[in-house]
């Protein structure tokens, strides 16, 4: 007889402690052997996830508590990965909403919670980080209720159960005055408030394709929930495609979840989450069903891309010197392979075989793809991100974002002024008790391109900025987000200390002495609006005369570090970011235009 089941998704804003809480649940459920070394953030398997402290890909795990199998899905908190969130919520029967006791609900809390409420899920609220200074758990609960009402939650959803605790401290409790012991109160809440999955093991098989994975040995792997029926390894099944066609196949491998591992199964019944191999052409939202009685489940809708970039082969003078994969065929194959699992991504051919139009949910979504590719050894170039326009009811429209800023008091005026120039409309402003203010705006997505760097300067690095996709609206008009001109290398060579020192008054540099440069490479930002070409490879003429000040220590200003994220925000429409495993360079386009679709 199979175990009772609970399927629950953990959703929250970025950095509110989802992954750390899952760590605590795994450790206290006995998933790991006694004495086994357990890393922190075990669910963040991707290197970039660990470095940035965010969840990018949804992941499944399962723990046992009191003879109940609790399937837990850790979901992304950033709106750029909303495609992951939407699909995961279709696999579960309840959700655990984690809220920081200090910050309360934040923009991505709103985003994922709205999706959960629309699906009729009744969240359990866990107020996390109550052991941190300035935490106010009861105010956080009140803010969550306000948000529920604002998002149109029904009476049952508004009467949500809530607990207090700390994922890092490894404890949960029903009341603040209770002792800090362990996570058992949270396990009990999951059993009591998350309903068992609906579904009939005796009806014809129905599994919805919710997540895609890929294995070199098994090919495409489908992850989803068994809505009805029983599935067995080796049985015949049918895949119902989006267009209504039916593809027959065989379940070549059936896998279940146990802790962080996938375990091979002989059979599994309705309500369980499984991984299935055998259907190479399966796509998100389609249904694996009984070939003798094929019945499709409703398709899953995924948010469409709002931002597009051009990926092209590296044609700079330094092309091919640092990367392992440099040809257009290798670039195309890698992008097409990404489509196997990254469903919010679109890749289209252009009129040039060396260029591809790649569309995604935002700068972070596309930036993570670029970073993964460079770490794998790919060398290529990307253009400035451009928003995707659409026609709605015969009217040209563009994507708008809901933006929330948390800024020190002295930065409020500057932020309001700059966002006004970028067509941002303030919706609300709340002054906090700790000298910080929370500002809410609705702004065109293109108004946010390049704003993050400016925002950090306005707030001297002390501001917090979050945004999520709102909707398509009519065009907002021209946006003047002009930055200063750039400093461009005039020739190829190695940058000298002498030349940099002489040109210091021209602007702010991105490079330092010893850097290799080529003609057309962007080396800094000009103090003036126009671009300026400089010769930075000129060496000092040596003589046999000692200067009167020759022994003085001469120092250069520190260069601005231009990492990938900052480079993508910085470039203009006639510039490119050259991406290699070892370097991030900015350059002017050789032909001043990109291939059109």
């Amino acid at each position: 007889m199979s175990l009772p089941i609970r399927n629950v998704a953990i959703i929250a804003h970025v950095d509110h402690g989802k992954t750390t809480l899952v760590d605590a649940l795994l450790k206290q459920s006995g998933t790991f052997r006694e004495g086994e070394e357990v890393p922190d953030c075990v669910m963040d398997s991707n290197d970039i996830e660990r470095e940035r402290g965010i969840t990018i890909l949804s992941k499944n795990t399962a723990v046992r508590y009191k003879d109940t199998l609790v399937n837990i899905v850790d979901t992304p908190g950033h709106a750029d990965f909303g495609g992951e969130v939407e699909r995961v919520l279709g696999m579960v029967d309840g959700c655990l909403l984690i809220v920081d006791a200090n910050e309360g609900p934040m923009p991505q809390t709103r985003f994922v919670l709205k999706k959960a409420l629309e699906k009729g899920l009744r969240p359990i609220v866990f107020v996390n980080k109550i052991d941190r200074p300035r935490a106010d758990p009861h105010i956080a609960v009140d803010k969550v209720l306000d948000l529920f009402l604002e998002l149109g939650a029904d009476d049952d959803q508004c009467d949500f159960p809530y607990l207090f605790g700390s994922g890092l401290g490894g404890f949960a409790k029903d009341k603040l005055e209770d002792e800090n012991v362990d996570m058992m109160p949270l396990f009990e809440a999951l059993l009591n408030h998350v309903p068992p999955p609906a579904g009939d093991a005796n009806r014809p098989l129905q599994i919805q394709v919710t997540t895609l994975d890929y294995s070199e040995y098994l090919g495409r792997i489908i992850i989803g929930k068994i809505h009805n029926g029983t599935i067995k390894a080796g049985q015949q099944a049918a895949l119902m495609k989006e267009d209504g066609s039916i593809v027959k196949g065989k379940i070549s491998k059936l896998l279940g979840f146990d802790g962080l591992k996938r375990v091979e199964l002989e059979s599994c019944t309705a309500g369980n989450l499984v991984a299935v191999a055998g259907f190479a052409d399966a796509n998100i939202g389609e249904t694996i069903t009984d070939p003798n009685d094929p019945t499709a489940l409703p398709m899953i809708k995924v948010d469409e891309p709002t931002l597009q970039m051009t990926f092209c082969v590296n044609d700079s003078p330094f092309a091919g010197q640092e990367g392992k994969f440099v040809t257009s065929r290798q670039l195309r194959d890698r992008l097409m392979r990404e489509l196997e699992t990254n469903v919010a991504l679109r890749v289209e051919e252009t009129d040039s075989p060396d260029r591809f139009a790649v569309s995604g949910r935002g700068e972070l979504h596309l930036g993570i793809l670029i970073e993964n590719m460079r770490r794998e050894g790919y060398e290529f170039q990307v253009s400035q991100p451009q928003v995707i326009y659409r026609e709605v009811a015969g009217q040209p429209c563009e994507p708008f974002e809901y933006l929330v800023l948390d800024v020190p008091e002295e930065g409020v005026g500057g932020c309001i002024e700059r966002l006004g120039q970028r067509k941002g409309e303030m919706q609300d402003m709340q002054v906090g008790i700790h000298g910080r203010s929370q500002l809410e705006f609705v702004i065109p997505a293109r108004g946010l391109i390049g704003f993050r760097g400016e925002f950090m300067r306005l707030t001297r690095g002390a501001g917090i900025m979050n945004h999520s996709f709102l909707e398509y609206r009519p065009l907002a008009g021209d946006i003047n987000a002009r930055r200063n001109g750039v400093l461009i290398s005039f020739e190829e060579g190695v940058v000298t200390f002498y030349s940099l020192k002489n040109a210091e008054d021209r602007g702010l540099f991105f490079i330092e002495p010893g850097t290799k440069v080529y003609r057309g490479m962007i080396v800094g930002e000009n103090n003036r609006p126009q671009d300026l070409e400089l010769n930075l490879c000129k060496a000092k003429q040596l003589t046999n005369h000692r200067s009167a000040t020759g022994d003085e220590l001469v120092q250069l200003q520190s260069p601005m570090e231009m990492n990938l994220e900052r480079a993508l925000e910085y470039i203009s429409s006639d510039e490119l970011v050259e991406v290699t495993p070892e370097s991030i360079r900015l350059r002017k386009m050789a032909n001043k235009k990109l291939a059109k679709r």
Side-chain angles (χ1 to χ4, degrees):
M1 183 177 170
S2 61
L3 293 174
I5 301 167
R6 297 292 186 274
N7 296 324
V8 60
I10 298 190
I11 57 178
H13 177 77
V14 179
D15 201 32
H16 276 202
K18 295 187 309 297
T19 307
T20 309
L21 186 71
V22 173
D23 287 358
L25 294 174
L26 286 167
K27 290 169 186 174
Q28 295 190 28
S29 68
T31 298
F32 300 104
R33 297 188 309 276
E34 193 172 338
E36 183 178 354
E37 187 177 340
V38 183
D40 291 331
C41 295
V42 289
M43 294 286 276
D44 281 349
S45 53
N46 182 302
D47 286 342
I48 300 176
E49 291 181 316
R50 289 182 178 276
E51 288 166 20
R52 298 191 183 207
I54 61 173
T55 300
I56 296 168
L57 305 169
S58 65
K59 301 171 195 70
N60 298 42
T61 187
V63 298
R64 296 189 184 192
Y65 177 74
K66 287 188 176 179
D67 293 328
T68 298
L69 181 68
V70 182
N71 287 309
I72 299 173
V73 188
D74 184 20
T75 65
H78 198 286
D80 278 19
F81 307 106
E84 292 275 321
V85 174
E86 285 184 84
R87 303 194 309 278
V88 164
L89 293 177
M91 297 168 67
V92 299
D93 308 289
C95 62
L96 179 63
L97 175 66
I98 302 173
V99 177
D100 188 305
N102 185 20
E103 294 183 348
M106 294 289 279
Q108 267 71 52
T109 313
R110 168 190 292 270
F111 171 77
V112 290
L113 179 60
K114 187 170 188 288
K115 302 283 186 189
L117 295 175
E118 285 172 355
K119 289 188 175 291
L121 300 180
R122 183 184 181 224
I124 299 169
V125 175
F126 183 80
V127 182
N128 196 22
K129 305 184 185 181
I130 65 168
D131 48 358
R132 292 180 65 177
R134 299 193 302 181
D136 199 330
H138 286 300
I139 286 186
V141 173
D142 291 342
K143 287 182 177 178
V144 170
L145 178 57
D146 291 342
L147 183 57
F148 273 49
L149 293 168
E150 188 181 330
L151 295 177
D154 60 34
D155 292 345
D156 186 47
Q157 289 171 328
C158 287
D159 187 23
F160 53 84
Y162 58 89
L163 299 91
F164 306 101
S166 166
L168 196 61
F171 66 87
K173 51 190 181 182
D174 295 311
K175 298 177 182 176
L176 280 176
E177 54 269 24
D178 293 347
E179 282 187 65
N180 303 343
V181 183
D182 53 28
M183 280 290 176
M184 295 311 133
L186 181 54
F187 278 117
E188 291 291 340
L190 293 175
L191 265 57
N192 294 333
H193 297 293
V194 177
D200 188 346
N202 299 315
R203 289 180 60 187
L205 177 66
Q206 285 181 310
I207 300 176
Q208 185 132 50
V209 181
T210 306
T211 306
L212 296 175
D213 202 351
Y214 186 81
S215 161
E216 290 184 6
Y217 305 103
L218 300 174
R220 181 170 284 191
I221 297 173
I222 296 154
I223 299 172
K225 176 183 175 182
I226 307 174
H227 287 262
N228 289 302
T230 300
I231 186 170
K232 296 179 181 177
Q235 79 170 66
Q236 296 296 316
L239 175 68
M240 293 204 69
K241 303 289 289 178
E242 187 175 1
D243 60 7
S245 61
I246 298 175
V247 179
K248 293 190 176 180
K250 178 183 175 183
I251 306 297
S252 60
K253 190 75 76 174
L254 177 63
L255 303 167
F257 301 95
D258 183 14
L260 298 173
K261 301 186 291 289
R262 289 181 187 171
V263 292
E264 203 164 331
L265 302 175
E266 287 298 317
S267 65
C268 206
T269 58
N272 278 287
L273 308 185
V274 292
V276 174
F279 289 90
D281 297 326
N283 288 310
I284 295 296
E286 296 172 349
T287 306
I288 294 177
T289 184
D290 186 332
N292 300 317
D293 188 4
T295 310
L297 291 162
M299 284 295 295
I300 301 171
K301 290 184 70 177
V302 178
D303 282 348
E304 290 294 314
T306 58
L307 215 59
Q308 184 178 89
M309 301 169 74
T310 298
F311 283 49
C312 52
V313 171
N314 188 10
D315 60 358
S316 85
F318 292 171
Q321 295 181 12
E322 299 172 0
K324 192 163 47 170
F325 307 109
V326 298
T327 67
S328 60
R329 180 184 59 80
Q330 289 168 331
L331 179 61
R332 183 186 186 280
D333 289 349
R334 175 63 181 85
L335 291 172
M336 294 305 170
R337 194 164 72 247
E338 184 69 19
L339 292 176
E340 293 279 335
T341 56
N342 195 339
V343 296
L345 198 74
R346 302 284 184 273
V347 179
E348 300 168 68
E349 309 273 359
T350 69
D351 57 6
S352 166
D354 294 340
R355 299 176 187 271
F356 305 91
V358 180
S359 307
R361 284 286 297 116
E363 284 177 283
L364 180 61
H365 183 206
L366 293 170
I368 294 291
L369 169 62
I370 294 167
E371 183 62 39
N372 277 327
M373 288 175 64
R374 74 180 287 238
R375 292 184 185 204
E376 293 165 15
Y378 285 84
E379 184 177 310
F380 54 101
Q381 299 177 135
V382 293
S383 71
Q384 181 192 44
Q386 301 286 341
V387 300
I388 298 172
Y389 298 97
R390 283 193 199 155
E391 196 169 288
V392 179
Q395 190 174 15
C397 293
E398 64 178 319
F400 275 69
E401 302 269 326
Y402 170 69
L403 170 70
V404 176
L405 305 180
D406 188 321
V407 298
E409 256 179 62
E410 58 271 18
V412 170
C415 290
I416 293 173
E417 181 186 352
R418 297 300 167 87
L419 288 170
Q421 294 168 358
R422 291 168 173 264
K423 303 293 183 184
E425 294 180 4
M426 184 186 287
Q427 305 297 302
D428 192 19
M429 175 177 172
Q430 295 182 0
V431 180
I433 56 174
H434 302 295
R436 297 180 70 89
S437 298
Q438 192 176 75
L439 314 175
E440 298 180 16
F441 289 85
V442 170
I443 185 169
R446 62 195 165 101
L448 286 177
I449 294 174
F451 176 68
R452 189 176 294 273
E454 196 173 356
F455 174 68
M456 296 314 287
R457 286 195 295 274
L458 288 168
T459 60
R460 298 185 180 180
I464 301 170
M465 170 179 163
N466 291 289
H467 57 92
S468 58
F469 172 72
L470 182 63
E471 61 186 353
Y472 270 83
R473 292 185 179 180
L475 301 182
D478 292 336
I479 293 176
N480 182 17
R482 175 89 182 140
R483 53 137 219 248
N484 283 353
V486 291
L487 302 174
I488 305 166
S489 174
F490 183 70
E491 64 176 37
E492 188 172 327
V494 178
V495 174
T496 65
F497 179 95
Y498 172 74
S499 296
L500 268 185
K501 187 63 187 171
N502 283 343
E504 254 191 339
D505 61 338
R506 299 291 194 174
L508 180 64
F509 285 96
F510 307 151
I511 53 161
E512 54 190 19
T515 304
K516 291 182 178 179
V517 296
Y518 53 80
R519 180 164 189 169
M521 180 172 156
I522 297 171
V523 294
E525 181 176 298
N526 194 2
N527 287 332
R528 303 189 175 200
Q530 63 270 24
D531 295 344
L532 178 67
E533 291 189 335
L534 296 172
N535 180 3
L536 297 177
C537 305
K538 189 177 179 183
K540 185 177 181 180
Q541 296 299 316
L542 300 178
T543 71
N544 59 356
H545 294 287
R546 182 186 291 268
S547 167
T549 57
D551 293 327
E552 289 182 10
L553 182 64
V554 181
Q555 289 186 325
L556 284 169
Q557 292 177 12
S558 297
M560 181 195 291
E561 184 189 350
M562 194 55 73
N563 58 23
L564 176 61
E565 213 167 43
R566 188 175 285 175
L568 293 176
E569 291 184 338
Y570 186 83
I571 57 171
S572 293
S573 57
D574 65 337
E575 296 163 2
L576 296 170
V577 178
E578 181 184 349
V579 180
T580 79
E582 296 177 25
S583 308
I584 298 292
R585 303 185 187 96
L586 280 65
R587 61 172 296 200
K588 286 289 181 180
M589 288 184 197
N591 57 359
K592 298 285 186 184
K593 69 175 184 178
L594 285 173
K596 293 182 180 176
R597 285 189 291 164

